[in-house]
Amino acid sequence: MVETLIDKCPRIETERLVLRKWEERDLDGLVEMNSDPRVMEFFPDVMSRDESAHMLERLMAKQDELGFACPVVEDRASGRFLGFCGLNIPTYPKPLPFDPCVEIGWRLIPDAWGKGVAQEAAKIWLGFGFETLEADEIVAFTTETNWRSQKLMQRLGMERNPADDFDHPMLEEGHPLLRHVLYRLNKDRFESVSKSWSDGKA
Ligand SMILES: CC(C)(COP(=O)(O)OP(=O)(O)OC[C@H]1O[C@@H](n2cnc3c(N)ncnc32)[C@H](O)[C@@H]1OP(=O)(O)O)[C@@H](O)C(=O)NCCC(=O)NCCS
C-alpha cells in the first residue's frame, strides 16, 4: 500500500472497491445515503440536500488541509457510490473527552451492508494510519445502541473500556442518542491483530 502513496490519502483499488478522495460528483450519492432513515437511525435526523451539500464542502475542505477526511468507498465494477469509511480528525465545535485523536468512521448505503465492505476498507485505512501516518492510537465511537457499528469495531480488534463511555458534546442533555461508547486500537495491538488479516483468518 505504501507504494501507492501519492499524498496523505492515496487512491486504493482492491478487487471490488475503490477507496478515494471526495469529489463534487459524490453529492447525489451522499444525499441519497444521508436521507435514508435506515442509515441515519443512530444520528439525530436524516439530512436534507442542503445539509449534505454542506457536509461535502466541509469534507473536501478538510481533505485539502489534512489529506484525508472519511474517504469515499466506491464499487469498482459499477462506479456506484457506496458511502464512506476511513480516517478523520474530529473537529466538532465542542471538544470530545479524548481529543486530540485520529478517528476511523463509516457510513454505507444499505445495499453495501452485510458484505464485509466496511471491514475491508477499514482494515486498509487502519494500516495506512499506523504504518504510513504513524499514529499511536486510532479510535472509533458510536451510540451505545448502534450494535452494527460496534460489531465492526470488535471485528477490527478495537477494544472498549466502559470507563471511556461519554456523552456526545454536540447532543443536548436527555437526547436519546446522548450516550456514546469509545473503542480504541493502539499500534501494538494493531500489529498483532492485523497479522491474522493477511493470513485470511479474519
Ligand atoms: C456500521 C456499518 C458500516 C456496518 O456495516 P457491515 O456491513 O455490517 O460491516 P462489515 O463490513 O464488518 O460486514 C460484516 C457483515 O458482512 C458479512 N460478510 C459477507 N461477506 C463478507 C466478507 N467477504 N468479509 C467479511 N464479512 C462479510 C459478515 O458475515 C457480517 O454479517 P453480519 O453482520 O450479519 O454478521 C453499516 O451498518 C452502516 O453504514 N450503518 C449506518 C451508518 C452508521 O451507523 N455508521 C456508524 C456511525 S458511528
Side-chain angles (χ1 to χ4, degrees):
M1 185 177 68
V2 176
E3 293 88 281
T4 66
L5 181 68
I6 300 164
D7 58 13
K8 285 191 201 148
C9 177
R11 175 189 168 93
I12 293 169
E13 294 196 14
T14 71
E15 214 173 306
R16 60 179 176 166
L17 304 176
V18 178
L19 312 179
R20 61 161 176 82
K21 288 192 177 192
W22 289 94
E23 299 175 21
E24 300 283 0
R25 68 181 162 106
D26 295 317
L27 180 59
D28 286 345
L30 185 63
V31 169
E32 191 185 336
M33 179 172 77
N34 286 343
S35 63
D36 187 325
R38 294 168 295 175
V39 175
M40 302 306 280
E41 181 180 354
F42 301 103
F43 295 87
D45 209 346
V46 293
M47 291 170 73
S48 68
R49 188 173 185 88
D50 276 359
E51 286 168 331
S52 286
H54 283 129
M55 178 178 169
L56 181 58
E57 262 173 40
R58 286 196 306 273
L59 287 165
M60 290 182 73
K62 201 186 254 193
Q63 94 186 346
D64 280 350
E65 188 190 326
L66 297 174
F68 56 88
C70 290
V72 171
V73 182
E74 184 181 282
D75 178 69
R76 185 171 166 185
S78 64
R80 185 177 182 195
F81 175 89
L82 300 181
F84 63 77
C85 177
L87 303 180
N88 181 42
I89 307 240
T91 44
Y92 296 108
K94 295 182 192 166
L96 292 161
F98 41 89
D99 272 344
C101 67
V102 180
E103 160 198 29
I104 185 156
W106 34 67
R107 189 181 303 176
L108 299 180
I109 58 170
D111 280 358
W113 298 0
K115 297 174 181 167
V117 167
Q119 204 176 140
E120 183 181 333
K123 286 175 177 173
I124 290 171
W125 288 123
L126 287 173
F128 176 75
F130 286 115
E131 289 158 7
T132 305
L133 298 182
E134 298 184 346
D136 294 325
E137 180 182 73
I138 297 178
V139 302
F141 51 90
T142 189
T143 61
E144 54 185 7
T145 45
N146 191 347
W147 56 269
R148 267 196 214 94
S149 190
Q150 289 191 52
K151 258 170 75 178
L152 173 53
M153 294 169 197
Q154 290 160 13
R155 282 187 198 110
L156 295 169
M158 304 185 92
E159 292 178 310
R160 171 187 174 197
N161 177 348
D164 285 331
D165 290 2
F166 66 104
D167 291 344
H168 199 293
M170 298 307 290
L171 296 173
E172 71 276 11
E173 201 55 45
H175 193 288
L177 300 175
L178 182 67
R179 203 68 186 149
H180 274 58
V181 294
L182 177 74
Y183 279 71
R184 298 177 185 265
L185 183 64
N186 66 30
K187 197 173 170 73
D188 286 347
R189 183 157 165 83
F190 167 77
E191 276 166 12
S192 124
V193 294
S194 61
K195 282 198 186 95
S196 62
W197 302 346
S198 37
D199 296 345
K201 284 186 204 146

